[in-house]
């Protein structure tokens, strides 16, 4: 494989450093532009195994509100986001729903739970 250069903006802290990652054959050769070690760690992970926390909403049956906000309890592979959303869109929670309640135990085969981030009381 040929050498490749990727440009990123670090999200590890408020500085938002402009990072440059040099890769050779899928391997990270050099990371530059970071002002702290978190930037280097973020850049390496982002180019080799990008992950994301997914946030959304789930329908609520019998609740004071029609939807509850949810998020993945941990980050999931970026490539699984669309499968994650397909699974989340199939879920209906029954009220009451409380912060931290698991509304989906294993999203998109990742073994990561989707949890409520708000309370919705029953009516």
């Amino acid at each position: 494989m040929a050498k490749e250069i990727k440009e990123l903006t670090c999200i590890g802290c408020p500085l938002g450093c402009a990072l440059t990652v040099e890769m050779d054959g899928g391997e990270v050769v050099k990371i530059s532009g970071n002002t702290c070690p978190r930037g280097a760690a973020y850049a390496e992970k982002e180019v080799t195994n990008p992950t994301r926390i997914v946030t959304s909403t789930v329908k609520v049956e019998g609740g004071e509100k029609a939807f509850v906000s949810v998020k993945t309890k941990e980050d999931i592979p970026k490539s699984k986001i669309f499968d994650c959303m397909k699974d989340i869109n199939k879920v209906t929670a029954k009220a009451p729903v409380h912060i931290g309640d698991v509304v989906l135990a294993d999203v998109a085969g990742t073994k990561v739970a989707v949890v409520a981030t708000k309370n919705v009381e029953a009516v």
Side-chain angles (χ1 to χ4, degrees):
M1 284 186 124
K3 289 188 178 184
E4 185 179 2
I5 298 203
K6 296 191 177 195
E7 304 286 336
L8 305 168
T9 301
C10 184
I11 61 170
C13 77
L15 289 177
C17 295
L19 306 174
T20 301
V21 181
E22 295 178 34
M23 300 182 71
D24 189 2
E27 296 291 320
V28 174
V29 177
K30 182 180 178 186
I31 299 170
S32 58
N34 57 299
T35 56
C36 71
R38 288 184 295 178
Y42 166 76
E44 183 161 3
K45 184 177 179 202
E46 186 64 17
V47 298
T48 59
N49 183 29
T51 60
R52 299 289 186 273
I53 296 284
V54 176
T55 61
S56 188
T57 58
V58 166
K59 293 177 193 169
V60 176
E61 181 181 303
E64 63 186 356
K65 296 181 182 168
F67 292 89
V68 64
S69 58
V70 297
K71 72 176 194 83
T72 53
K73 193 168 184 178
E74 300 167 25
D75 48 351
I76 64 167
K78 189 175 174 184
S79 62
K80 294 278 193 169
I81 290 174
F82 288 107
D83 293 333
C84 175
M85 287 307 304
K86 285 179 188 173
D87 285 357
I88 287 172
N89 289 333
K90 295 176 189 173
V91 173
T92 300
K94 293 189 181 205
V97 181
H98 298 102
I99 295 172
D101 285 356
V102 173
V103 297
L104 183 58
D106 176 12
V107 68
T110 62
K111 297 187 171 117
V112 173
V114 175
V115 297
T117 60
K118 296 280 184 186
N119 294 324
V120 176
E121 298 303 327
V123 289

